[in-house]
Amino acid sequence: MHGLLESRDYAELHSILNYLGIAAFVIDVEGDDVYRLAAINERHEQLTGMRHADCAGRRIDEILSLEVAEQVKINYRRCVHQRAPIDYDESLELPNGTSYWRTNLVPYIDASGRVFRLLGTSFEISRTVHLEQKARYQSSLLDAYLEESPDGILVVDADNHIKNWNRRFLEIWNIPADVMDARDGARALEIVRAQLRDPDEFVDRIRELYQRLDQEEKEHRIRMRDGRILERYSRGLRDREGTWWGRIWFYRDITEQERITEKLVQLSRTDMLTDIANRRAFMDTLAEEYQRARRYGHPFTVLMIDLDHFKAVNDRYGHEGGDAALKAFSQTIKPMLRHTDQFARMGGEEFALLLPESGLDEAMQLAERIGQAVAAIEVNCRRGSFGITASIGVSALQPQDADPEEPLGRADRALYTAKEAGRNRVACN
Ligand SMILES: Nc1nc2c(ncn2[C@@H]2O[C@H](COP(=O)(O)OP(=O)(O)OP(=O)(O)O)[C@@H](O)[C@H]2O)c(=O)[nH]1
């Protein structure tokens, strides 16, 4: 059998090439611009859809589109001029998408030194190219996410070395960019520690998470010395094959959100007119105090206070006069109380007072003083000035009480008794 170099028989070349496991083709060089396809093997036929029988002996320009022919001829010419093997990547538009190839061209040189033939072998690199494209896409996605994220983001590798971070991370933690550029984790942690209310807790927690990449963290609160509150989310980075690559940390400044939430909670528990607690806040505190009193065997008392003849006040001085009376009443009582007492407007002209750690005697004394203080109030409004009085019912927690409603109910009944007895007085039950 002739060697590949010598054979001029396209059929023979075809059968020799078929022994090769990869796509192969032979080009006869007839001039700087004239390249004739001598043979392609079966693998090449399968991959390109071209057929040796149709193409063998024909010029490249006749087989390929003008554009593709010019493209391949650039590489052929390069190989001929260099008189040495060359590699190049090319893409092919096939019915099921673009495929990518790495081709190796080997020149065959005759005795006079002229390149008369090229042997090309190609293997597909579509998978590699697609992976590269995917990696580029994912990296651009990550860059965009890092840059635009409202969260401060830090990524560390499995050895806890700094890998990525974003601008927001530097802003939140006041870390100079050069510290991160130098990947100086120790210095960065020092800067972070100095800003924390509880640096030891912070460091213990991140050490624990560094050791346990499988642990996730959600909504972990971090309090800063300057009053800011951060929320941290963190999780290990694991690929689909199960390899752990490190950990990603998200830091979110929730100071403003917390402030608004706190304000809303406070509003939902405050009576707008008198600016004292409302029924909901009172009932919550009463339930808490009931549990505490039960656990530690401590006493508490409840007072129900109702302004007398309030309908008459409204009728005579209008709603504005009534409101002024409610405000004056609240303002008068508030300074008479301890910090731990809960004073609330239960609705209308009805108020409640919870006195933790107080027995009945103490509560009765306070109730009497409240009654006197109310009777001394002079309410001023546009329609004139007037005085008010209040009736008060008092009750202490009893050992047999099964829930916090019981002393409250008794205080309410005592209030009814005080009203029945002529108002402007205190009764207990
Ligand atoms: N101005 C004003 N009046 C209110 C408010 N809430 C309830 N009231 C009025 O308070 C009055 C309560 O009247 P009643 O429950 O009949 O009791 P009272 O007139 O105080 O009589 P006694 O409690 O029996 O002494 C009603 O006229 C209500 O309209 C409020 O927020 N502002």
Side-chain angles (χ1 to χ4, degrees):
M1 186 169 82
H2 295 295
L4 183 62
L5 199 64
E6 298 96 333
S7 177
R8 297 281 164 185
D9 179 343
Y10 297 146
E12 188 184 19
L13 273 173
H14 182 218
S15 63
I16 293 169
L17 288 186
N18 280 340
Y19 287 114
L20 294 174
I22 56 174
F25 56 96
V26 173
I27 303 288
D28 280 340
V29 182
E30 293 180 0
D32 210 29
D33 197 42
V34 185
Y35 299 93
R36 199 176 295 282
L37 185 68
I40 55 175
N41 69 356
E42 281 167 5
R43 184 92 183 93
H44 197 288
E45 283 178 330
Q46 285 160 11
L47 292 170
T48 59
M50 289 159 62
R51 282 170 45 85
H52 172 82
D54 301 335
C55 309
R58 293 175 67 193
R59 284 171 53 160
I60 291 299
D61 321 67
E62 296 165 354
I63 306 166
L64 301 175
S65 74
L66 195 65
E67 197 186 334
V68 178
E70 279 313 311
Q71 201 59 43
V72 296
K73 279 199 279 186
I74 292 171
N75 292 311
Y76 297 166
R77 242 177 253 129
R78 189 154 65 90
C79 187
V80 170
H81 291 161
Q82 288 181 10
R83 294 149 59 82
I86 64 162
D87 283 322
Y88 58 92
D89 293 344
E90 58 188 339
S91 60
L92 248 151
E93 297 302 329
L94 296 178
N96 52 354
T98 309
S99 64
Y100 297 87
W101 300 84
R102 173 143 306 155
T103 297
N104 174 258
L105 275 186
V106 178
Y108 284 84
I109 305 169
D110 65 15
S112 68
R114 191 183 75 87
V115 175
F116 68 95
R117 176 164 280 178
L118 300 170
L119 168 63
T121 47
S122 301
F123 62 91
E124 197 175 354
I125 53 165
S126 298
R127 196 176 136 73
T128 315
V129 171
H130 287 143
L131 282 175
E132 274 170 12
Q133 284 172 346
K134 198 171 157 192
R136 283 211 305 276
Y137 164 73
Q138 281 175 342
S139 138
S140 69
L141 203 63
L142 180 66
D143 286 348
Y145 182 67
L146 282 176
E147 227 21 67
E148 299 307 324
S149 169
D151 293 339
I153 298 173
L154 173 69
V155 182
V156 296
D157 66 15
D159 297 320
N160 306 325
H161 295 134
I162 295 169
K163 293 294 284 181
N164 298 89
W165 64 92
N166 65 355
R167 193 172 33 81
R168 187 77 189 113
F169 177 79
L170 303 184
E171 282 167 11
I172 284 183
W173 286 110
N174 301 304
I175 300 176
D178 57 346
V179 171
M180 298 303 279
D181 290 339
R183 306 286 197 275
D184 190 347
R187 176 84 190 106
L189 186 58
E190 217 174 281
I191 295 170
V192 165
R193 276 185 66 109
Q195 299 174 76
L196 297 167
R197 287 230 182 125
D198 191 346
D200 293 340
E201 190 266 350
F202 180 91
V203 171
D204 288 350
R205 183 84 187 116
I206 60 170
R207 288 227 169 98
E208 187 187 323
L209 290 170
Y210 272 153
Q211 277 155 23
R212 294 284 312 274
L213 285 178
D214 58 335
Q215 257 189 30
E216 265 189 44
E217 185 180 56
K218 286 195 172 112
E219 297 178 8
H220 180 77
R221 299 253 158 139
I222 299 163
R223 297 195 172 266
M224 310 280 277
R225 283 196 176 163
D226 62 7
R228 282 183 297 151
I229 304 169
L230 304 184
E231 199 167 66
R232 185 172 66 208
Y233 293 74
S234 162
R235 51 167 289 191
L237 296 174
R238 189 158 73 144
D239 64 23
R240 287 198 186 126
E241 274 73 46
T243 306
W244 291 98
W245 290 95
R247 183 174 276 278
I248 185 160
W249 308 80
F250 299 89
Y251 290 95
R252 184 171 298 177
D253 188 338
I254 56 161
T255 316
E256 185 58 14
Q257 183 188 323
E258 276 295 279
R259 200 186 58 76
I260 293 168
T261 309
E262 241 168 61
K263 185 81 195 151
L264 286 175
V265 168
Q266 196 199 335
L267 282 176
S268 74
R269 299 169 65 83
T270 305
D271 175 62
M272 289 297 109
L273 179 69
T274 57
D275 201 30
I276 63 172
N278 62 15
R279 169 185 283 274
R280 176 195 294 190
F282 183 85
M283 295 310 283
D284 287 350
T285 311
L286 178 66
E288 282 164 22
E289 189 50 36
Y290 176 79
Q291 293 300 339
R292 215 177 67 86
R294 278 281 172 257
R295 197 172 314 132
Y296 302 109
H298 289 180
F300 75 73
T301 44
V302 183
L303 277 67
M304 290 299 298
I305 311 168
D306 192 281
L307 300 189
D308 296 329
H309 301 303
F310 202 66
K311 187 170 171 340
V313 170
N314 270 326
D315 289 347
R316 181 134 181 233
Y317 297 97
H319 210 74
E320 186 208 331
D323 283 0
L326 292 168
K327 281 193 214 171
F329 168 75
S330 309
Q331 293 308 315
T332 304
I333 306 307
K334 258 202 273 187
M336 300 173 68
L337 305 174
R338 288 175 303 188
H339 179 66
T340 45
D341 297 340
Q342 172 78 312
F343 179 41
R345 184 178 177 209
M346 301 298 269
E349 84 293 13
E350 191 179 56
F351 294 80
L353 183 54
L354 171 69
L355 307 174
E357 307 290 341
S358 294
L360 201 56
D361 289 349
E362 206 183 326
M364 288 295 284
Q365 283 169 24
L366 178 66
E368 291 293 348
R369 279 193 283 125
I370 288 174
Q372 287 158 16
V374 174
I377 294 172
E378 190 185 74
V379 183
N380 297 303
C381 69
R382 274 187 293 187
R383 292 198 203 167
S385 302
F386 58 94
I388 51 172
T389 59
S391 298
I392 305 174
V394 185
S395 182
L397 176 69
Q398 302 292 334
Q400 67 275 14
D401 286 343
D403 59 50
E405 305 280 336
E406 290 206 36
L408 194 65
R410 275 198 306 275
D412 212 27
R413 286 194 293 281
L415 169 65
Y416 184 75
T417 308
K419 290 267 182 192
E420 288 290 288
R423 298 177 176 80
N424 188 21
R425 69 195 60 218
V426 181
C428 78
N429 189 342

